[in-house]
């Protein structure tokens, strides 16, 4: 426990990501080992490790990384509907913001100008995330995997949803653990490191995140439309 308590909660300087970051990765969320929610209480989304699409991953150090994930959730997903209701009047509204008011009636001449129409929210939603790349020595995996824990509580699974990752920094190397409890403790520290490291203006995308306002970092790739 002492080692976890001594780990710094903020990594890198306040000026923003440094080379070789940011690194990009994208794909469709696939089913993984089924351990995240059941054994760890920490649900993960898995992406295929595709060296052709992300050449950097072939030489990437196995371990834990942090950054942002964007998801294009289907219209039927409850988080998609909630996001669009919340952002109807302000596409960058934080999660704590109340729903936008109903549009004015046709008799309200004060809102007739076309310039007052808000731009529609992107179908891509940005979330902070922490991820592991490697073999997970505790479970002795034989296949290298990329497991993403999005720092948001979702109302439903999102298998087959398109996901983009913008990886901004490295947290720690992968390691083995004497017990499941020790693994969970370390993962929770990883999550806190990601939250605090990203909660700075130069580390927050201008496009905003679902659980907070926008910042100074250019995250346009995360929400660009094809």
């Amino acid at each position: 426990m002492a080692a976890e308590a001594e780990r710094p909660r903020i990594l890198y300087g306040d000026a923003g990501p440094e080379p070789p970051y940011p690194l990009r990765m994208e794909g469709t969320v696939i089913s993984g080992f089924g351990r995240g929610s059941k054994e760890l209480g920490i649900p993960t989304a898995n992406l295929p490790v595709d060296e052709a699409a992300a050449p950097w991953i072939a030489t990437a150090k196995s371990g834990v990384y942090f950054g942002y994930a964007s998801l294009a959730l289907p219209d039927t997903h409850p988080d998609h509907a909630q996001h669009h209701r919340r952002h109807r009047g302000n596409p960058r509204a934080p999660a704590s913001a109340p729903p936008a008011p109903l549009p004015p009636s046709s008799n309200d001449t004060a809102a007739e100008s076309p310039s007052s129409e808000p731009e529609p929210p992107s179908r891509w939603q940005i979330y902070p995330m922490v991820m592991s790349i490697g073999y997970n020595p505790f479970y002795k995996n034989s296949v290298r995997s990329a497991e993403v824990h999005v720092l948001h509580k979702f109302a439903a699974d999102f298998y087959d949803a398109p996901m983009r990752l913008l990886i901004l920094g490295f947290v720690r190397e992968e390691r083995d653990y004497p017990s499941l409890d020790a693994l969970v403790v370390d993962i929770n520290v990883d999550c806190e490191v990601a939250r605090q490291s990203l909660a700075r203006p130069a580390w927050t995308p201008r496009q905003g995140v679902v659980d907070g306002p926008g910042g100074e970092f250019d995250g346009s790739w995360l929400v660009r439309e094809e």
Side-chain angles (χ1 to χ4, degrees), residues 6-205:
E6 293 168 4
R7 288 175 56 191
R9 297 310 196 259
I10 297 179
L11 302 179
Y12 303 97
D14 291 343
E18 305 168 358
Y21 304 101
L23 299 171
R24 296 177 180 180
M25 184 175 178
E26 61 183 319
T28 300
V29 176
I30 59 175
S31 58
F33 300 105
R35 296 186 295 244
S37 296
K38 294 177 182 177
E39 295 185 25
L40 305 176
I42 302 170
T44 58
N46 290 65
L47 288 182
V49 176
D50 186 350
E51 295 181 8
W56 59 267
I57 205 168
T59 56
K61 187 186 303 183
S62 291
V64 179
Y65 295 79
F66 72 97
Y68 290 97
S70 64
L71 283 164
L73 297 173
D75 293 346
T76 54
H77 194 283
D79 287 88
H80 177 277
Q82 182 184 29
H83 171 75
H84 279 249
R85 283 197 304 271
R86 180 184 301 130
H87 291 241
R88 184 175 58 233
N90 179 6
R92 297 184 182 180
S96 57
L102 293 173
S105 67
S106 58
N107 295 327
D108 187 351
T109 57
E112 288 181 356
S113 172
S115 62
S116 65
E117 290 293 324
E119 63 179 88
S122 169
R123 71 189 184 102
W124 293 92
Q125 302 174 28
I126 304 176
Y127 306 87
M129 65 85 183
V130 61
M131 69 179 296
S132 68
I133 299 174
Y135 296 93
N136 200 330
F138 181 77
Y139 287 106
K140 298 176 174 57
N141 295 346
S142 59
V143 178
R144 201 164 190 239
S145 64
E147 299 178 72
V148 182
H149 175 53
V150 181
L151 300 177
H152 177 84
K153 187 174 182 180
F154 289 89
D157 292 332
F158 44 86
Y159 293 124
D160 299 322
M163 174 183 274
R164 294 176 184 157
L165 302 177
L166 209 55
I167 299 161
L168 303 187
F170 183 75
V171 178
R172 62 171 175 85
E173 295 184 3
E174 68 177 357
R175 59 180 69 129
D176 201 352
Y177 295 90
S179 68
L180 184 64
D181 287 344
L183 170 60
V184 172
V185 167
D186 224 12
I187 292 174
N188 283 323
V189 174
D190 297 335
C191 294
E192 188 59 29
V193 169
R195 288 190 185 94
Q196 293 196 32
S197 296
L198 294 171
R200 294 173 287 177
W203 291 83
T204 303

